[in-house]
Amino acid sequence: MIETWELSRVYGNRTALRSLTLRVEPGEVLGFLGPNGAGKSTTVKLLTGMIKPTHGRATVAGFDVVEQPLEVKRRVGYVPESAALYESLTAREYLDVIASLYHQPRATARQRPPSRGLRRGLAAVRDFFTPRTEAGIDELLDRFGLADARDQRLSEFSKGMKQKVLIASALMHRPDVLFLDEPLTGLDANAALVVKELIRSLAAQGRAIFFCSHVLEVVERVCSRIVIINQGEAIADGTPAAIAARTGTTTLEDAFVKLTGTRDAALVTRDLLDALGR
């Protein structure tokens, strides 16, 4: 579903990504980790066709990200770490715009009736991706617990509600590949549980999930494989247990700290307290 060969990106004198060679199979949930500035966002932008590589090549769902960017965009869903919504629109209107961008038939996008009652939680996502056409707007809003707010302007939404709309917009065309950059930001515990279950369900159906997050506990639970990058280079690849064993640690968090050279949290805390005069 995702392949890269020596993929690189240079900004002026700074190399943001250096010679990344990577393969993500159908049904795989790849956790893509790294400290701030390691090159995670650059990688996602390259793979979604937002920017072009300085060197190397990448394909997504079998299409070259440089030569066939529109074909790539048709087949991917993307939840960015921070996105600007059209807040003067209602949730339904915003998803209607997204549906139009993906050339969904208007009847399919708007007229699928919501399920009986407000179906929240795991039961709602287990049957979400059934073998049919694109999901309807009302159905998506219903499944994410936003049915009662569908005609409110997005400017009135909380951060978590906006995040649900972003996730819904990434899913509505049933993408083959899903790029998630901190998708749980702002979500309450119930909504986060739904999204994690949805990720597992999508992978079970053969879709590839590219998952970026700083919350290592979530990555460890959700992802079948981890790639860690630091200063633009991949420095570890494998299951969480394998990476921990390779670094002589017992958890992914400890392995991450050891591989990226992050300072010990206790020492950083002590130095901060000293700077604040305790």
Side-chain angles (χ1 to χ4, degrees):
M1 282 293 190
I2 301 172
E3 287 190 86
T4 71
W5 297 268
E6 301 293 322
L7 194 65
S8 302
R9 174 69 188 196
V10 177
Y11 295 99
N13 295 323
R14 183 177 70 89
T15 301
L17 187 69
R18 181 181 291 106
S19 301
L20 177 68
T21 297
L22 181 69
R23 183 182 177 94
V24 184
E25 302 290 348
E28 192 168 23
V29 183
L30 179 76
F32 198 65
L33 308 180
N36 292 332
K40 301 186 300 299
S41 294
T42 294
T43 302
V44 172
K45 289 177 181 178
L46 288 167
L47 294 177
T48 53
M50 296 173 66
I51 60 175
K52 293 183 179 181
T54 305
H55 176 74
R57 181 170 170 258
T59 62
V60 175
F63 295 94
D64 190 282
V65 298
V66 174
E67 301 297 329
Q68 301 159 297
L70 287 180
E71 294 300 328
V72 170
K73 290 178 172 68
R74 288 189 179 102
R75 290 161 177 81
V76 304
Y78 177 37
V79 178
E81 182 176 6
S82 58
L85 296 170
Y86 297 107
E87 296 199 354
S88 61
L89 300 179
T90 67
R92 178 185 272 168
E93 289 169 343
Y94 178 79
L95 292 182
D96 204 10
V97 170
I98 301 300
S100 298
L101 292 174
Y102 284 107
H103 304 287
Q104 289 185 224
R106 192 172 184 82
T108 301
R110 290 295 301 273
Q111 295 177 9
R112 186 183 299 279
S115 55
R116 280 184 253 172
L118 192 57
R119 298 182 60 211
R120 293 186 175 99
L122 302 185
V125 293
R126 288 195 180 103
D127 65 343
F128 183 82
F129 272 64
T130 53
R132 59 171 189 250
T133 57
E134 295 88 346
I137 289 172
D138 288 342
E139 181 184 15
L140 277 167
L141 292 172
D142 182 39
R143 298 295 174 88
F144 278 102
L146 295 173
D148 294 339
R150 70 187 69 191
D151 293 318
Q152 291 181 25
R153 296 192 186 279
L154 292 173
S155 59
E156 302 171 12
F157 277 29
S158 68
K159 182 174 178 59
M161 293 169 71
K162 291 177 182 177
Q163 189 71 6
K164 290 178 183 179
V165 173
L166 280 174
I167 295 171
S169 70
L171 295 174
M172 64 187 310
H173 62 297
R174 283 185 163 76
D176 295 324
V177 182
L178 191 59
F179 291 92
L180 303 174
D181 196 350
E182 301 291 354
L184 305 183
T185 300
L187 297 182
D188 59 38
N190 288 331
L193 186 62
V194 168
V195 172
K196 286 185 278 189
E197 181 68 17
L198 180 58
I199 289 169
R200 296 187 186 99
S201 298
L202 293 174
Q205 294 175 3
R207 292 171 170 83
I209 316 293
F210 197 91
F211 188 97
C212 300
S213 178
H214 291 295
V215 186
L216 300 188
E217 296 91 342
V218 173
V219 173
E220 200 162 7
R221 289 177 194 159
V222 172
C223 299
S224 53
R225 179 174 148 228
I226 306 292
V227 169
I228 299 176
I229 67 169
N230 191 34
Q231 298 180 353
E233 295 187 59
I235 57 174
D237 186 344
T239 65
I243 292 174
R246 209 173 302 142
T247 55
T249 59
T250 57
T251 67
L252 179 62
E253 184 176 22
D254 291 339
F256 181 85
V257 170
K258 189 169 185 178
L259 286 166
T260 59
T262 306
R263 291 181 62 200
D264 181 83
L267 293 176
V268 173
T269 302
R270 186 194 64 192
D271 290 346
L272 284 171
L273 288 171
D274 287 341
L276 294 170
R278 295 187 185 272

